[in-house]
Amino acid sequence: MSFVLPGELVPAQHVNLKLGPGLLQVSDVKNGSVMSTRAGELKHTANNREWWIEGNSRRYVPAPQESVIGVVIARSGEGWRVDIGSAHFASLDGLAFEGATKRSRPNLKVGSVLYARVSLAHKDMEPELECFDAQTRKAEGFGELKGGFLVRCSLQMSRMLLDQSHFLLPLLGARFPLEVAIGLNGRVWVSTKEPKYTIAVSRCIEAVDPDGGGMDERAAKKFLATLDI
Amino acid sequence: MPRPPSPSIPEREFLYASLKQSLRLDGRLPLEMREPTLTFGPDLGWVDCAMGRTRVLASVDGKMVKPTPERPLEGVITIHSEISPMASSDYETGRASDEEVVLTRMLDKVLRRSDTVDKESLCVQAGQRVWHLRLTIHCLADAGNLLDCACLAGIVALKHYRRPEVEVEGEDVTIHHPSERAPIPLAMHHTPYCFTFAYFPDTTTQAVLDPTSLEQRLSAGLLSIALNAQRELCVVQKAGGVPLAPDEVMRIINVAVGKAKELDRIVEKRLQEDWSTRNVEVR
């Protein structure tokens, strides 16, 4: 485990190297060609093929193919402007939905919450979103999220929740049925039968969040037992 | 980025639905406030006040100035507060937001115009030298109810501050360094605390104390009350929003009285704890 700062050269080498968030390939540096763009822990897979940086930043920087949760801010021409928590609003085309045509477009209101995939993220351009899978062009769960509640957490927490081996969601799921959509931009949409369950989920996420309570599994279990559910 | 977007439809609907059942997102009761955490710095009059994720830093420093000709016997107190984008990405630099105007005006009313500090005791030589106290409020993080947190930080900073002792012999004024003579606390008349209540469009929903930022933004009116533990009302502010019956205002004031007493105990306890750890050498 090593800690890197922005601008540091990273000894990442592999014949089939794949760079993840926080790493950038640079060509004009003599020795080594991979540079870090943010501060954090440098991590790689066991076979040294995939490298990335795990930081504790709170501000989302869009990256292609990441699933995010956005809030519609305004209509603009054929599409919508969506707040995904990044420095700039993202644009979502009216046709970027499964089965959408010029005539039948989904009816999104200002303030609607949607689950989308970042299709374009470039430092000089506005991010763009799509609500279908790139290969199949089917919705695959993307689209408007109705009802429920939006929980905000740190970016690190949203990545942790996406990890299938993380304890929190199975722990909560064993107590009551719940539906969640996790956006990598630090937003989690939660839908349950009763407001008290949603509040329990929200409080547990806050408690386990390394940026908040930072509880481990045992402490989280104890915390959940104190909640009135 | 322009003004922050208003909360999304699911957030709004959920908050109203859960408040109807008297459930709050952080598990508090409607009339329960977040327990403030007070941290004192190495200097006297330096306080970091945190209520949940809302954090405000206040510091007091004093210097000698010539008083204004209109009030030659009174010291001067100035309050400097600014909300920067550091507090939350909702704020922007340059233009003073409505929140900032409200905060500045309320701090002025609660801390200065309510005669918290005895200004005449800040006079050293009539018409010649008086103390000028400068209270600086830095809003570090805003997770709702910045106003109450800033007022609390300001009042605790004033209570924590001690000014150097001054000796006047004829025309000569000697300021004794804190290491020579123990600095003396400010003469305070009372300690007002500010409490903010949020009202919602649905009139059957109970008002909530110490709103979070989501509650604050979805509220249909905020009522801020500043009062001290002796039941003396200093400021009642309600800028627009839902109309309230006099009975409701009286009920809320009674709630605030109880909270002020509670808060006063916490503040006094923390100040005493901090003072007992400080070693003031007197030679």
Side-chain angles (χ1 to χ4, degrees):
Chain A
M1 186 182 105
S2 65
F3 186 80
V4 288
L5 291 170
E8 236 174 90
L9 290 176
V10 169
Q13 264 166 2
H14 193 272
V15 277
N16 198 358
L17 190 66
K18 202 167 182 189
L19 298 179
L23 292 173
L24 185 74
Q25 191 176 27
V26 279
S27 50
D28 56 335
V29 181
K30 275 181 205 125
N31 36 10
S33 60
V34 180
M35 197 185 258
S36 65
T37 58
R38 59 174 89 150
E41 218 179 279
L42 182 66
K43 290 195 167 177
H44 58 83
T45 48
N47 59 3
N48 280 352
R49 201 172 85 89
E50 288 159 3
W51 292 70
W52 69 94
I53 290 174
E54 188 94 39
N56 61 353
S57 60
R58 295 163 60 95
R59 186 61 119 148
Y60 179 65
V61 180
Q65 306 310 324
E66 285 189 343
S67 311
V68 293
I69 290 176
V71 180
V72 177
I73 296 298
R75 265 201 89 99
S76 72
E78 296 284 279
W80 294 275
R81 319 248 306 139
V82 182
D83 167 40
I84 55 169
S86 59
H88 303 278
F89 291 138
S91 62
L92 172 68
D93 195 77
L95 298 175
F97 290 86
E98 181 193 344
T101 57
K102 279 257 174 204
R103 292 231 184 93
S104 74
R105 263 176 300 174
N107 180 26
L108 294 179
K109 287 195 283 290
V110 169
S112 301
V113 172
L114 44 90
Y115 193 46
R117 182 173 50 84
V118 178
S119 60
L120 180 109
H122 190 275
K123 61 177 178 175
D124 299 323
M125 286 164 75
E126 222 170 49
E128 281 179 22
L129 303 177
E130 276 175 3
C131 281
F132 54 70
D133 190 283
Q135 268 100 44
T136 59
R137 299 187 75 81
K138 288 270 182 288
E140 306 282 359
F142 291 118
E144 190 185 351
L145 300 169
K146 288 184 179 125
F149 182 66
L150 210 56
V151 181
R152 283 149 213 266
C153 61
S154 68
L155 301 184
Q156 199 182 355
M157 187 67 205
S158 62
R159 286 194 298 266
M160 276 161 67
L161 286 174
L162 272 181
D163 182 357
Q164 302 226 323
S165 60
H166 195 260
F167 66 87
L168 185 62
L169 291 178
L171 180 70
L172 294 168
R175 291 292 196 88
F176 46 83
L178 79 159
E179 213 181 330
V180 289
I182 301 159
L184 276 167
N185 54 345
R187 291 178 187 179
V188 182
W189 174 84
V190 185
S191 176
T192 57
K193 285 254 160 57
E194 298 253 353
K196 62 177 179 181
Y197 293 143
T198 307
I199 290 174
V201 177
S202 161
R203 293 188 66 191
C204 281
I205 291 176
E206 165 77 24
V208 175
D209 196 334
D211 192 41
M215 287 185 184
D216 59 355
E217 189 169 354
R218 266 183 60 198
K221 261 186 192 154
K222 224 180 250 170
F223 177 69
L224 189 61
T226 63
L227 298 181
D228 176 36
I229 48 168
Chain B
M1 219 147 112
R3 287 293 302 153
S6 55
S8 64
I9 296 168
E11 279 173 299
R12 193 176 68 212
E13 313 241 292
F14 178 79
L15 190 94
Y16 289 156
S18 63
L19 280 175
K20 224 173 201 169
Q21 300 182 19
S22 294
L23 291 170
R24 289 176 81 178
L25 274 167
D26 41 14
R28 276 185 286 157
L29 296 171
L31 293 177
E32 186 180 343
M33 60 187 290
R34 295 169 287 183
E35 177 119 340
T37 321
L38 297 166
T39 319
F40 299 99
D43 294 334
L44 291 165
W46 192 103
V47 182
D48 176 346
C49 174
M51 286 163 85
R53 282 192 181 222
T54 303
R55 233 178 112 193
V56 174
L57 195 151
S59 67
V60 180
D61 59 334
K63 63 176 184 200
M64 288 276 196
V65 293
K66 201 174 157 62
T68 53
E70 302 91 63
R71 298 182 180 278
L73 297 172
E74 286 184 7
V76 188
I77 300 171
T78 50
I79 303 173
H80 298 261
S81 63
E82 197 186 338
I83 305 181
S84 69
M86 173 170 61
S88 159
S89 53
D90 295 354
Y91 302 114
E92 49 191 318
T93 41
R95 199 164 55 92
S97 58
D98 292 355
E99 289 91 343
E100 189 170 343
V101 175
V102 169
L103 182 78
T104 314
R105 286 181 55 91
M106 273 300 272
L107 281 172
D108 189 59
K109 282 183 200 159
V110 177
L111 301 177
R112 212 161 64 90
R113 302 224 320 249
S114 73
D115 254 337
T116 315
V117 180
D118 181 20
K119 282 193 195 138
E120 281 180 16
S121 73
L122 294 174
C123 178
V124 180
Q125 266 182 323
Q128 297 300 313
R129 280 158 188 268
V130 293
W131 281 104
H132 175 197
L133 297 182
R134 184 191 161 98
L135 172 64
T136 318
I137 307 263
H138 298 279
C139 302
L140 302 181
D142 179 13
N145 205 7
L146 196 60
L147 175 65
D148 291 8
C149 196
C151 285
L152 181 63
I155 196 81
V156 176
L158 287 172
K159 278 180 90 92
H160 188 247
Y161 180 71
R162 282 166 196 239
R163 63 178 171 84
E165 203 183 326
V166 181
E167 210 174 1
V168 185
E169 278 177 62
E171 286 293 295
D172 297 340
V173 177
T174 338
I175 303 175
H176 292 283
H177 191 264
S179 60
E180 282 171 34
R181 284 204 195 167
I184 36 186
L186 301 174
M188 310 260 292
H189 290 308
H190 65 134
T191 46
Y193 300 105
C194 185
F195 299 96
T196 299
F197 295 84
Y199 284 86
F200 295 91
D202 181 23
T203 43
T204 54
T205 308
Q206 215 193 331
V208 298
L209 173 60
D210 187 15
T212 60
S213 46
L214 187 64
E215 285 165 346
Q216 206 168 338
R217 274 165 65 190
L218 288 171
S219 70
L222 295 172
L223 173 67
S224 295
I225 296 172
L227 78 178
N228 58 23
Q230 289 75 44
R231 300 181 66 102
E232 286 165 339
L233 207 54
C234 304
V235 184
V236 175
Q237 175 183 278
K238 187 172 175 303
V242 288
L244 293 181
D247 296 358
E248 172 64 9
V249 178
M250 286 312 291
R251 188 183 74 87
I252 287 298
I253 288 175
N254 279 326
V255 171
V257 168
K259 297 289 170 192
K261 285 183 179 153
E262 236 171 80
L263 197 55
D264 196 52
R265 268 197 295 277
I266 298 172
V267 168
E268 290 298 334
K269 187 166 147 269
R270 282 294 295 133
L271 279 168
Q272 218 144 48
E273 273 171 15
D274 175 70
W275 190 244
S276 63
T277 60
R278 264 168 221 273
N279 234 328
V280 180
E281 279 179 49
V282 182
R283 272 176 287 194

